Structure formats: C-alpha cells, structure tokens
Amino acid sequence: MAIIQTAPKSLDTQPKTIMQRFLDGVERVGNMVPHPVVIFLILIAIVIVLSAVLSLFGAAVSFERINPDTHQVETATTEIRSLLNTDGIRFLYASLIPNFMGFTAVGLMIAAMIGAGVAEESGLVTALIRKLVIVSPNWALTYILSFVGILASIAADAGYLVLIPLAGIAYLAVGRHPLAGLALGFAAVAGAFTVNMLIKPLDAVLVEFTNDAAHLVDPNRSIGLASNVWFSFASVLFLTVVVAFITDRMIAPRLGTYDPNLAAEGTTTEQGAELSEQESRGLRFAGFGLLGLLAIFCLLTLPSFAPLRNPETGELIGNSPFMNGLIALIMLMFLVTGWAYGIGAGTLRTLPEVIAAIEKSIKSLGGTIFLFFVLSQFVAYFTYTNMGTVMALSLSGALQAANIGALPLLLGFIVVVAIIDLLLTGAIAKWAIFAPVFVPLLMKLGVEPEAVLAAYRVGDSPMNAITPLNAYFALVVGFAQRYDRSAGVGTIVSLMLPYVVWMFILWTALFAIWQMLGLPWGI
C-alpha cells in the first residue's frame, strides 16, 4: 500500500506575524555579514588589539578555583595577556599548527564522516529515515527526533554530526522543509546538552568539581553521579515537548513549503514512499551487521576483565576507555551497517566502492575544515588572553556581592552562566570557576549543592545553539546550505532564536518551580 505524503500548506500568502517579520529581519541582517571565515579573521584582529589595550591598563582579577589536576581549591590571579608583547607574538607564531591539531571538533567530524559517508552513499540513511516515517505517525516524527536529539549527548559531540543532518533528511522525506528539521536537531542536541536520562562522562567531572567546592563548607557533604537524575529526566521530557512545539508552531510555518530548486548542486531532494524489495533486504543485512558489531563490543565491555573498562576501577559508564572513545563505536556502526546495507541492496558491494564513498564524504568537508582552521586560531587566541575568564569572574563577583535571597541568587546565577556561555562554551572550564564561588555561597544560605549544579545545567545549555563560538555552529550553516544555497549565519541565528529564548525562559521556570516545591533533584 503506497503512502501518499503531502507537503504542508505554504503560508507565504498569509499575513506574517510580528515575530515572523522580526525573524525575517534578523535573517536578512545576519546574511549581510561577510563569510564566516572573514568574520573570525575580524574577530581575531579585535582580540589581538583589545588584549594589548586591556593588558596596558593592567586588567586583572583574583579568585578561588578548583585545580583540575589536584582537585584542591587554590587562590589565583588572572590578568589579561597581550598578544602584541614578546610572549604573545611568540604564541601567535608558534601555536598556529598546534591550535588546529588540538581542535577536537576536526577529528570528531572526520571520524564520524568516515562511517556516515558509507551509510549515506549506500542509501542506508535514506532507507532508515523513510522506514521511520512509514512506521511513525506523522504528528509524532517531530517529538521522536527531538527526544532522540536530546539523548544524543550521551555520545558527546557525535550528536552534532549525526542527528542534525538526519533530522533534515527526515523532514524532507515527509514533505516538510528540511531547514526546520535541521533547526529541530540543532536545538535538541545543543540546547539541552547538559541533561540526559543516562549518566555520561560529563556528569562525572561536574559532580567531582561540585564535591570539591562543597567540602569548603562541609567536608562530609558529597553528592553522587545520580544527584541530578530526577531533574534531568524531567528536563529531557519537558524540553522534548518544548523543542517539538516550537518547531511545529513557529519554525515550520515561517519557512513554509520547501522549494527543491534552492538546493545546492548534487543534493538529493527526492521523496520516496514504500521501500523496494532491495531496500528491505538491505535493511535486514544492516541489522545483521549491527548485531554482529554489538556482539563484539559486548565481549569488549561486559566482562569484568574487558579491555574497554577502566583498568583501575573497572567501571564502564563514566571515566572508561569505552565512554572516552565512543565516537569510534559511532563510526563503526555507520561503517558496518552502511556496507552491509550496500551488499544487501546491491548499491555498495566491494571494498574499493566503500573507499570511494569515504573519499567523497571527506572531500565535501574541504570548506568546513578551512573554517575550523581559522576558528581554532580565534578560540586559542581568545583563551590565551584570559578575557573570557576575567569577564566571568567579574560578573560572578558582582552577583555574589548582591544581598539577595537564595532563589533570586540561583536565578541570577543561571543568567550569568548563560551570558558567559556566549563566550566560553566549555562546560567543564566554566564550572571549575563557578563551583568554588557559588556552591559554598548557596550552601550557607541553605541551598543543596545538587540544586546549584542543576542551575548550572540550565544556564549552560540553551546558548550553545546561538553562539558562533560553538565549534559546530559553522557546520550547521554548511548543512543548511545543502538545502538552500543562500543560507548563511543569519539564517541559522533567525531559526535558533525562538528555541534559545523559550527554552531558556521555560526551563528556568521549571527549575524555579522545582526549587520552590522542594522536589528531590536526584538520588
């Protein structure tokens, strides 16, 4: 039985709301800015000049922080470092290649594309999405993608590389605008990155820093890995609905009907219906390949002596080789299942064909890799100057000095973290600075350290979807340009603004209600 798929009715002829006109204006202004590479070159110049000026005036701040190596609280002074003095010039010259080589996003992207290229070229990705569309009610697709996107943070940054483009393909498959799918995926992956229904490696680090800070007030007070599990569980379900609702009610209507003529050359925009016999056989082969790969990884992880467990503690979930190298599993899953599908469907049979598919996917990354090269220099230079750290400490010091109650202080803390996240996107680096300041302060006001950590999770996530300093922001722009050649930075910013604003407001409200009701944060 054939499934007839209809595109959503275009709203181009209907009057636009004030919000839609505002977002259209944001997109036009944003797309008027230069190429992202030019933007970051300008930012690099600004950072260099500003660092020299601030250093000349002796800008500095003293603070207490947790040493990531010893986990001891230490007093330190951070001052603005100039990039135009002797040491700064040496750094500019000598760090060019190390900055790029140390930019982990590049390695993750290439590794993921090795497997994803095979899966896409063989037809597995398209077949899986069409299968999902066939078995899922049309109304549920948005919610499914939103939920899976939020859970994708268990695979660290791999969610950016896998889920976001898949969401675009899924939307295209049901006749919806693929940019709405990309926006949905980006909001889910980036905007809720610090919460999950599962314990992930990031939780271990955040909890450890929280305990180090709590011991300043009470040496016997500690929290566990599951200290935020109930709040995280509720946040995942809550944000799933929020992201899906915004997509269906704000983003999709604004975009209207998709015109395939906008797609970049070589981008597939065809929409299929029922799977062919060859495609169904390919999916069965892919399932067999997946089962075989999982069987191998069970042998590598489940026994107590398994090599992918932590060699000292024996743990599997947390700080272990398995979790630290999870991108390898993601790559192999796509590679093995993609090739198995190709054999079953007759689209990708031989090893030379597989290698050709990998080469094709890597070649498509040329522009993105060059952008990452420039972006890595900006991030390294900005970090070297300490300007972001000084700003974070100045804001936290002002908030700490304010004589307000516990809940207003928690809400103010969320706002400060969100502002700083526009400049310092690393969750661990910020928490190393904020934890020894706010955990002891709020504990003295009767606030549990679990609540402070939960507040940090709320403030640290939504802005990830709008800051250009997110290493994957430029990648999302590249994804968008596959479906709309004219898409640019302004396009993504205008798409993500509704998500960022409403996720921040509603999630903060959920946190405030949770705190006022005294609900347990976790186990």
Side-chain angles (χ1 to χ4, degrees):
M1 177 178 177
I3 295 181
I4 300 176
Q5 300 167 350
T6 60
K9 183 180 180 181
S10 175
L11 302 183
D12 295 342
T13 59
Q14 300 182 11
K16 292 188 175 182
T17 64
I18 295 177
M19 177 59 68
Q20 288 175 336
R21 290 197 297 269
F22 169 74
L23 294 175
D24 288 344
V26 170
E27 180 176 1
R28 285 193 298 270
V29 173
N31 286 340
M32 289 171 61
V33 301
H35 190 281
V37 170
V38 177
I39 294 175
F40 282 108
L41 289 175
I42 295 173
L43 290 175
I44 288 174
I46 293 174
V47 167
I48 292 174
V49 174
L50 194 58
S51 70
V53 173
L54 294 177
S55 177
L56 187 63
F57 285 96
V61 62
S62 297
F63 65 102
E64 288 185 337
R65 69 184 294 272
I66 298 174
N67 188 308
D69 298 320
T70 65
H71 297 284
Q72 300 296 316
V73 177
E74 59 184 20
T75 301
T77 299
T78 294
E79 59 184 17
I80 300 296
R81 302 168 68 184
S82 174
L83 284 165
L84 290 180
N85 59 17
T86 303
D87 290 338
I89 293 173
R90 288 171 179 164
F91 177 79
L92 289 173
Y93 178 78
S95 66
L96 190 69
I97 301 304
N99 292 342
F100 181 58
M101 298 302 293
F103 202 58
T104 56
V106 178
L108 286 170
M109 179 182 63
I110 294 176
M113 288 302 293
I114 289 175
V118 174
E120 183 174 3
E121 188 70 14
S122 68
L124 172 63
V125 174
T126 303
L128 277 176
I129 294 298
R130 287 167 54 202
K131 185 69 174 180
L132 174 64
V133 170
I134 291 172
V135 301
S136 302
N138 195 41
W139 64 267
L141 181 63
T142 301
Y143 292 85
I144 293 172
L145 291 173
S146 176
F147 180 70
V148 174
I150 295 175
L151 295 186
S153 63
I154 189 66
D157 293 347
Y160 287 99
L161 304 168
V162 177
L163 192 281
I164 295 175
L166 288 185
I169 296 173
Y171 258 51
L172 181 63
V174 295
R176 300 184 189 177
H177 204 298
L179 292 190
L182 292 179
L184 161 68
F186 194 21
V189 173
F193 190 78
T194 53
V195 291
N196 206 295
M197 289 184 171
L198 303 171
I199 303 298
K200 55 185 182 178
L202 176 64
D203 295 320
V205 180
L206 295 181
V207 166
E208 193 167 9
F209 281 7
T210 304
N211 285 332
D212 292 337
H215 293 162
L216 296 173
V217 177
D218 184 355
N220 298 318
R221 182 69 168 95
S222 296
I223 65 175
L225 281 176
S227 59
N228 278 165
V229 66
W230 301 133
F231 180 70
S232 294
F233 196 96
S235 295
V236 169
L237 298 178
F238 179 71
L239 293 175
T240 295
V241 176
V242 170
V243 171
F245 185 85
I246 293 173
T247 303
D248 287 340
R249 297 301 179 89
M250 298 182 67
I251 306 302
R254 173 173 170 258
L255 290 171
T257 303
Y258 176 59
D259 180 5
N261 294 322
L262 297 175
E265 185 178 353
T267 301
T268 301
T269 58
E270 296 180 357
Q271 303 168 21
E274 292 283 1
L275 296 178
S276 66
E277 181 181 347
Q278 291 81 4
E279 290 172 324
S280 297
R281 183 170 62 249
L283 287 179
R284 290 195 297 272
F285 276 50
F288 296 148
L290 178 62
L291 289 176
L293 182 64
L294 292 178
I296 294 174
F297 268 85
C298 284
L299 295 176
L300 295 174
T301 56
L302 295 184
S304 58
F305 54 85
L308 294 186
R309 288 182 174 270
N310 187 303
E312 297 178 358
T313 64
E315 66 176 329
L316 179 63
I317 305 299
N319 183 21
S320 68
F322 173 70
M323 294 302 296
N324 294 335
L326 201 56
I327 187 64
L329 175 59
I330 300 294
M331 179 189 72
L332 288 173
M333 285 178 62
F334 278 100
L335 182 62
V336 171
T337 56
W339 193 1
Y341 175 89
I343 294 174
T347 58
L348 206 66
R349 295 181 179 275
T350 65
L351 182 58
E353 290 176 331
V354 172
I355 295 175
I358 295 174
E359 291 175 345
K360 180 180 178 180
S361 66
I362 299 300
K363 288 177 182 178
S364 67
L365 299 177
T368 304
I369 291 175
F370 175 59
L371 176 60
F372 278 8
F373 176 81
V374 178
L375 177 57
S376 67
Q377 308 308 317
F378 171 75
V379 172
Y381 298 161
F382 187 78
T383 303
Y384 176 87
T385 63
N386 291 326
M387 286 194 291
T389 302
V390 170
M391 181 178 293
L393 291 168
S394 299
L395 285 174
S396 64
L399 188 60
Q400 182 182 9
N403 187 20
I404 56 179
L407 182 57
L409 185 58
L410 279 168
L411 298 180
F413 172 59
I414 291 175
V415 173
V416 168
V417 172
I419 293 173
I420 295 302
D421 193 50
L422 291 170
L423 301 174
L424 296 176
T425 58
I428 294 175
K430 289 197 301 292
W431 192 229
I433 296 172
F434 284 133
V437 175
F438 286 99
V439 172
L441 173 64
L442 286 159
M443 285 181 66
K444 293 175 183 178
L445 296 176
V447 178
E448 299 173 336
E450 295 95 327
V452 188
L453 179 56
Y456 180 72
R457 295 181 190 274
V458 175
D460 183 63
S461 292
M463 294 300 176
N464 291 333
I466 203 171
T467 172
L469 293 185
N470 182 341
Y472 296 102
F473 184 90
L475 190 64
V476 176
V477 175
F479 289 150
Q481 289 173 343
R482 297 181 59 187
Y483 300 108
D484 186 347
R485 297 184 300 274
S486 63
V489 172
T491 304
I492 302 304
V493 171
S494 66
L495 288 174
M496 303 316 298
L497 263 178
Y499 292 108
V500 171
V501 171
W502 285 110
M503 288 178 72
F504 181 77
I505 293 174
L506 296 176
W507 198 4
T508 301
L510 174 66
F511 171 86
I513 294 172
W514 201 285
Q515 171 69 11
M516 289 187 294
L517 294 179
L519 299 176
W521 299 99
I523 300 174

